[in-house]
Amino acid sequence: MSKSNSYHHGDLRATLLKTAMQMLEKREPFSLRAVARQADVSRTAPYRHFADRAELESALAVEGFRALKAHLLKRGEPASTAALAELGVAYVEFALKRPNLFQLMFGNQCDTSDVERVRATTELHELLAVGLAKVFPEADATALATACWSLVHGLACLHLDGKLPTTPRTAVAPRVRGAIEAIFALPSKQ
């Protein structure tokens, strides 16, 4: 009996995502067929869960956004400018530790029809907006969240693109903290 006929899996979708994530992180080219081959399932099995590669990539991005949120939450709830700076450091760290996933997450236009992806990105934005509202209660938290995200995302991309050095690795966190603290220290014109 061939493996495609005898193979039964308890959670095929999770296995396919795990396999695709491993391939992505190793920079192995992947297609639905390549993922199926690597997962040791029939070449048509992935189509039970993903219509095409774009849908698989969107699901990987959702996993990435959830992993990023978990990584950020390890720094605790942002309740001060120093804590907000640590969120920024964690964001850049994530990008440097998982560059292929990070680029997949942010390299394409958002698929607003993917409810899980929209939810995952909204949760990340809300995490930052809630923290900023605590630290800066009189500010427009949404606008400030966009500005802070733009800053740390820009720093992550500058590091990934080699425009800012990533070695020694110990120099990255102080650079990110310094940039964020410099922005928060600017006097406001009210």
Side-chain angles (χ1 to χ4, degrees):
M1 189 177 267
S2 75
K3 71 180 175 191
S4 61
N5 291 330
S6 65
Y7 188 87
H8 296 283
H9 198 280
D11 192 349
L12 178 61
R13 186 176 196 281
T15 297
L16 294 169
L17 282 172
K18 180 179 178 183
T19 302
M21 186 69 76
Q22 290 169 346
M23 294 174 77
L24 174 70
E25 299 279 13
K26 292 178 185 175
R27 280 199 177 269
E28 294 177 11
F30 68 90
S31 62
L32 289 175
R33 284 187 179 189
V35 170
R37 189 172 36 256
Q38 190 76 21
D40 199 29
V41 297
S42 76
R43 64 183 182 178
T44 59
Y47 292 97
R48 295 181 195 142
H49 298 282
F50 307 104
D52 54 23
R53 179 187 164 131
E55 200 170 291
L56 173 61
E57 287 182 350
S58 192
L60 289 172
V62 169
E63 295 294 316
F65 290 122
R66 289 177 180 153
L68 175 56
K69 181 181 176 186
H71 186 71
L72 295 176
L73 286 173
K74 288 179 185 176
R75 300 292 170 115
E77 293 288 323
S80 66
T81 55
L84 289 167
E86 290 309 309
L87 280 184
V89 169
Y91 187 94
V92 174
E93 284 175 352
F94 182 89
L96 294 176
K97 286 180 183 174
R98 302 185 76 184
N100 300 331
L101 176 59
F102 186 83
Q103 289 171 340
L104 175 80
M105 291 161 57
F106 296 106
N108 299 318
Q109 186 173 355
C110 292
D111 179 3
T112 56
S113 66
D114 185 336
V115 175
E116 284 196 49
R117 187 169 182 162
V118 170
R119 183 180 311 125
T121 57
T122 300
E123 287 175 6
L124 270 175
H125 194 266
E126 287 174 354
L127 171 67
L128 181 57
V130 167
L132 287 165
K134 288 178 186 175
V135 178
F136 302 102
E138 307 219 353
D140 178 348
T142 302
L144 194 53
T146 299
C148 289
W149 177 49
S150 298
L151 174 64
V152 296
H153 187 79
L155 287 167
C157 290
L158 288 169
H159 282 96
L160 288 173
D161 292 345
K163 306 297 188 238
L164 290 174
T166 57
T167 56
R169 193 69 119 203
T170 56
V172 174
R175 183 179 302 121
V176 174
R177 281 186 202 102
I180 294 169
E181 290 167 0
I183 297 298
F184 290 146
L186 289 174
S188 64
K189 295 179 180 182
Q190 292 185 5

